[in-house]
Amino acid sequence: MSNIFDINNTLWSSEGYIAQFPNGMCTLQKTEYTVIIICREGSFNFDVNGYEGRCEYGNMLVVSRKASLQIKGYSDDLQVRIFCMRIDNMYDHISNAAFTLALHLKLNSKFYSIFQGPEIPNIDKYIDLIDQNKHVSGCENMLYLMYEKKLLLLALAHRLCHLYQQQLDIEKVNFGVKNELCLRFMKLVEENYEKERNLAFYADKLCVTSKYLSSVVKSVCGIAVHEIISEYVVSRMCYYLVNTTKPILEISEEMNFLSPSHFGIYFRRHKG
């Protein structure tokens, strides 16, 4: 079983349910992945950045990238599926779903969440299909498999975003004013980034000053407002360029650029 903390891999999977954790997860290590652990049977105890918890059957543990994770014990009847994603390596492939998920993870001060409910079996199915996708051979199928994998990862990211959104809605009372402002800002960017790239637009919609919005977003998310907006915009640019046959003129018009040359300047400035 390969090292799940190997940063050279974009995805790592246990490829089905296993009865024990890999040895590397039983010692405290910082992970470069977003780690998903679905518990089908039994239970396990864990430590994430000093926060100790327990995940039981029917639950799913999601650990943020860069967190220090250790499995501290598990039951004899354990059955878990482990799936790890380098979300930062997936922006160009599944557009903004990966970046939105990354921002949701940043808003979680504990660096982990435990989920339960009817969405877990759906996430389990997507992971299983992604695992199956890796083992289909045949050169004539490669293009189909590539697009299938992108769609499955996109669906998985959207499901996880939906779970985090539900969790944030439930916990809103204790969420804090600044975190609430960041969440509202993220929603606005998701809805408007293809047409609006100006900080003043978002500050006006949120009834705050541009300076205050910039300060709050930077302190909570660890990333500047203009970087968040440009990440959404550039991710969508990459998605159009990689996954469609639309000409630059059409893409630039759809994304509200004055001309294809302005589109190109923006892309080079933020993408290099």
Side-chain angles (χ1 to χ4, degrees):
M1 188 173 289
S2 60
N3 179 8
I4 73 162
F5 299 104
D6 182 358
I7 62 172
N8 295 316
N9 298 324
T10 297
L11 300 174
W12 186 95
S13 175
S14 61
E15 299 191 6
Y17 281 88
I18 55 178
Q20 61 183 22
F21 283 94
N23 291 335
M25 297 187 72
C26 296
T27 57
L28 189 64
Q29 293 190 49
K30 180 177 287 188
T31 172
E32 291 293 333
Y33 291 96
T34 296
V35 181
I36 301 170
I37 306 175
I38 300 175
C39 186
R40 184 170 66 180
E41 297 288 344
S43 62
F44 63 91
N45 299 319
F46 61 88
D47 181 306
V48 176
N49 281 19
Y51 293 96
E52 295 192 354
R54 181 180 179 86
C55 187
E56 300 181 334
Y57 70 93
N59 292 350
M60 178 178 70
L61 171 68
V62 181
V63 180
S64 303
R65 181 182 175 228
K66 299 290 187 182
S68 294
L69 169 65
Q70 180 182 11
I71 303 301
K72 305 198 77 171
Y74 47 87
S75 62
D76 293 336
D77 57 343
L78 183 76
Q79 288 290 316
V80 292
R81 179 195 291 276
I82 307 169
F83 188 76
C84 308
M85 302 185 294
R86 281 290 305 274
I87 294 177
D88 56 312
N89 286 353
M90 296 163 59
Y91 292 168
D92 294 353
H93 300 290
I94 60 173
S95 189
N96 294 310
F99 187 62
T100 302
L101 177 57
L103 287 176
H104 276 297
L105 291 167
K106 283 181 180 289
L107 289 173
N108 190 334
S109 60
K110 292 193 300 184
F111 295 93
Y112 77 86
S113 292
I114 294 179
F115 299 102
Q116 57 184 345
E119 282 287 355
I120 309 305
N122 294 324
I123 290 174
D124 189 30
K125 289 176 184 176
Y126 281 124
I127 293 174
D128 190 50
L129 288 170
I130 293 168
D131 286 342
Q132 292 178 38
N133 174 275
K134 290 196 305 183
H135 296 291
V136 178
S137 59
C139 293
E140 70 280 1
N141 293 324
M142 293 308 295
L143 185 61
Y144 163 78
L145 292 174
M146 179 184 70
Y147 281 110
E148 180 187 55
K149 181 180 179 180
K150 288 182 180 180
L151 289 172
L152 289 170
L153 288 170
L154 179 63
L156 177 61
H158 277 301
R159 293 278 184 175
L160 289 169
C161 286
H162 179 62
L163 282 176
Y164 273 100
Q165 185 61 59
Q166 285 183 320
Q167 183 185 66
L168 292 175
D169 288 341
I170 292 171
E171 297 176 351
K172 194 169 287 185
V173 174
N174 300 315
F175 197 45
V177 175
K178 290 185 177 181
N179 284 29
E180 172 65 16
L181 179 63
C182 285
L183 187 60
R184 290 169 57 205
F185 167 70
M186 285 165 53
K187 286 182 178 179
L188 273 176
V189 175
E190 286 184 64
E191 294 168 359
N192 297 282
Y193 72 90
E194 289 201 51
K195 301 295 182 184
E196 298 289 346
R197 295 178 287 277
N198 194 323
L199 168 60
F201 168 84
Y202 296 100
D204 183 63
K205 287 288 185 181
L206 294 167
C207 301
V208 297
T209 66
S210 297
K211 183 177 181 180
Y212 181 73
L213 179 60
S214 297
S215 174
V216 169
V217 171
K218 179 68 173 180
S219 66
V220 173
C221 297
I223 182 172
V225 165
H226 72 273
E227 291 180 285
I228 291 176
I229 297 170
S230 64
E231 189 64 58
Y232 272 97
V233 174
V234 172
S235 291
R236 177 55 66 176
M237 287 175 162
C238 291
Y239 180 81
Y240 279 138
L241 293 171
V242 172
N243 297 288
T244 74
T245 57
K246 292 182 178 182
I248 299 296
L249 176 61
E250 184 179 347
I251 298 173
S252 62
E253 288 176 348
E254 286 187 18
M255 298 191 69
N256 204 28
F257 284 94
L258 293 175
S259 67
S261 63
H262 284 86
F263 177 96
I265 292 169
Y266 189 96
F267 186 85
R268 286 192 294 273
R269 181 190 305 148
H270 295 285
K271 191 68 174 175

